Amino acid sequence: MLNKTLNTRRIHHVMALFLYFAISIFIFRGPLLQNDPSYFSLAGDLAVPISLHNLIQDYYPTWSDQFSKSNLMMITRYPVILPFLFLGKILNLHPMLTIEIFWVVTGTSAGFFSYLLLYYLIEKDYHENDNLKFIVSLISGFFFLFNPHFAFKSRHMLLRFIHAITPLAFLSFLKTFENKNIKNAFIAAIVLLLYSATGRSIVHGILIITICAGYAVIKFKLSIRRVINTYVIIIILFLLLSSFYIFPYLYSLKESGYIGPSYVFSENYFLGRTKLLTYPN
């Protein structure tokens, strides 16, 4: 009976993954079949790149000859962006096709992770009908995938990615608090590392961990001490995984202060942020 139940869940999960992938392909079928860069639209501070080399120069090396500026602040984005840049480089893809593949992956992830999160939460209180859990969870993924912000507004790569993995963040943190082991804690730390791609999102990630910690105390009836210990373990693992950009940041701050508080509170920084806020989407 148990094996039958597990097989049913696996089948449901594979069906859900395939369905969200098919929907994402359908949504972006036009851009994926076009070779004209003018067909594509982007928002945020990312201009349409004329070549993959130009796109790579936004992140590597640490100095950009293209814009005559440091790329040091881009290091936090490496875990998110580099896999797609490598894919585009290996397959010799048009840069915008590489980005459109990114849209398909984030769309699939948004629906599927939302499905997994609700399936996990429902399973805590309802154990009878796997088909009903599957349908309800599947619908939740549709709502998350097609909400106005994700479907229409967010054409900014990082904002879209952070939105897509938010259900995964809740799921991984809750599972870690419920079953404290090094595997779950390591996965939670990796998710938090992905969340640290932007300064604002790492704040959101810490907030999500805190919410999950409170939920674990109330819903799972865990002791506050155990939850705090798990919380600290996740943060320590996150800091270790983040050392590849924390140490360069601290060194740069010590040597020049270029990306430190003196830059953040400078007139040039605030003028740049103002332009982004007033730029039409």
Side-chain angles (χ1 to χ4, degrees):
M1 183 66 181
L2 179 60
N3 289 334
K4 182 179 179 181
T5 301
L6 291 176
N7 288 334
T8 301
R9 291 176 186 173
R10 292 192 187 102
I11 293 172
H12 284 165
H13 294 348
V14 172
M15 288 174 57
L17 179 61
F18 177 80
L19 184 58
Y20 294 125
F21 176 72
I23 291 173
S24 297
I25 288 289
F26 179 78
I27 291 172
F28 295 103
R29 66 192 184 282
L32 287 170
L33 296 174
Q34 297 295 322
N35 291 319
D36 182 6
S38 64
Y39 187 88
F40 302 93
S41 63
L42 289 169
D45 49 0
L46 178 62
V48 175
I50 60 175
S51 70
L52 189 63
H53 177 71
N54 290 105
L55 183 58
I56 292 174
Q57 280 192 320
D58 281 344
Y59 302 95
Y60 179 85
T62 53
W63 178 262
S64 172
D65 290 330
Q66 183 176 338
F67 296 108
S68 295
K69 68 177 182 67
S70 171
N71 282 337
L72 198 57
M73 294 183 71
M74 296 293 189
I75 295 179
T76 60
R77 307 179 183 190
Y78 281 3
V80 177
I81 300 298
L82 286 187
F84 294 93
L85 295 182
F86 283 137
L87 177 66
K89 188 73 172 176
I90 292 171
L91 299 180
N92 195 27
L93 301 177
H94 187 283
M96 286 309 304
L97 180 57
T98 305
I99 293 176
E100 291 301 332
I101 291 174
F102 182 90
W103 297 148
V104 171
V105 171
T106 52
T108 304
S109 300
F112 186 60
F113 291 151
S114 180
Y115 158 84
L116 289 179
L117 174 62
L118 196 64
Y119 199 100
Y120 167 80
L121 293 175
I122 293 175
E123 205 169 29
K124 293 298 176 186
D125 298 311
Y126 184 78
H127 308 283
E128 300 299 326
N129 193 325
D130 283 337
N131 291 328
L132 181 60
K133 286 186 288 188
F134 170 70
I135 293 172
V136 173
S137 302
L138 200 65
I139 293 173
S140 77
F142 289 145
F143 275 109
F144 193 74
L145 177 57
F146 289 108
N147 77 75
H149 169 73
F150 191 71
F152 301 111
K153 286 293 186 180
S154 184
R155 297 288 290 175
H156 190 296
M157 293 178 68
L158 289 175
L159 295 183
R160 186 177 178 87
F161 178 83
I162 295 301
H163 182 100
I165 67 169
T166 295
L168 177 63
F170 277 101
L171 179 62
S172 62
F173 298 152
L174 287 173
K175 280 191 172 183
T176 304
F177 285 120
E178 182 184 14
N179 301 303
K180 186 177 71 172
N181 56 59
I182 191 62
K183 177 185 175 181
N184 287 341
F186 188 71
I187 293 174
I190 291 177
V191 173
L192 188 57
L193 173 67
L194 296 175
Y195 244 90
S196 68
T198 69
R200 74 189 83 174
S201 60
I202 184 59
V203 176
H204 299 160
I206 296 297
L207 179 61
I208 290 174
I209 296 183
T210 306
I211 293 173
C212 291
Y215 184 89
V217 171
I218 297 172
K219 181 66 176 179
F220 300 155
K221 309 298 182 183
L222 301 178
S223 67
I224 295 178
R225 180 177 181 179
R226 172 180 167 173
V227 169
I228 291 176
N229 288 340
T230 306
Y231 194 111
V232 171
I233 290 173
I234 294 174
I235 297 300
I236 291 175
L237 289 174
F238 161 70
L239 292 175
L240 292 175
L241 292 173
S242 304
S243 59
F244 74 93
Y245 71 78
I246 291 178
F247 287 124
Y249 174 88
L250 294 177
Y251 181 79
S252 177
L253 182 62
K254 175 179 176 296
E255 293 297 319
S256 65
Y258 175 72
I259 56 174
S262 60
Y263 172 69
V264 171
F265 290 102
S266 68
E267 181 181 0
N268 289 335
Y269 179 86
F270 278 113
L271 285 176
R273 298 303 98 183
T274 303
K275 288 179 182 178
L276 287 180
L277 290 174
T278 57
Y279 189 81
N281 290 327

